[in-house]
Amino acid sequence: MNESAALLMNLSDVAALAHVQRPVVSMWRKRSIGSAQPFPGPVALEGGREVFDADQVAAWLAVTGRGNNRSHVRFAAGRLRSRVIVAVAGIAFLWLRNRRWRPTSTG
């Protein structure tokens, strides 16, 4: 996925998604360094703050079982479903545009 289409979130957003306090997210980042499932790395800086890909964060929360909010699994699935719908709509549009469709007369 290109970065312009990515939903970005800062550490406060991660804490809100996981229903934990902000310092807990910092602790997860530090403790997961070098583990089999490290916390996702930042993808950019916005206003001097690190931001993270929301899909990667939601997947990490689901895989590690961290946080007090199990809806992050639905969040990740919903984002994926939305991208699929947009892709299918785009393909349908291109197909119709290239088909040279003309309305038929009704009589």
Side-chain angles (χ1 to χ4, degrees):
M1 169 178 30
N2 66 33
E3 265 189 62
S4 63
L7 176 62
L8 302 178
M9 56 192 334
N10 61 36
L11 293 176
S12 295
D13 299 328
V14 175
L17 175 64
H19 293 187
V20 297
Q21 296 295 313
R22 166 64 181 77
V24 173
V25 179
S26 292
M27 182 182 63
W28 289 343
R29 286 185 72 192
K30 289 176 188 168
R31 291 186 179 176
S32 70
I33 294 172
S35 72
Q37 295 294 329
F39 190 85
V43 295
L45 285 175
E46 287 185 358
R49 298 171 74 183
E50 295 176 322
V51 290
F52 303 84
D53 182 292
D55 292 333
Q56 292 177 8
V57 171
W60 183 85
L61 290 168
V63 166
T64 62
R66 304 287 173 122
N68 300 314
N69 179 11
R70 297 298 165 233
S71 68
H72 49 68
V73 175
R74 290 191 303 276
F75 172 81
R79 292 263 304 149
L80 177 60
R81 188 170 31 258
S82 296
R83 285 194 300 253
V84 168
I85 290 168
V86 168
V88 169
I91 291 167
F93 170 77
L94 291 173
W95 181 78
L96 288 171
R97 185 181 73 181
N98 292 327
R99 210 171 148 236
R100 295 190 187 107
W101 177 81
R102 292 184 182 90
T104 59
S105 69
T106 57

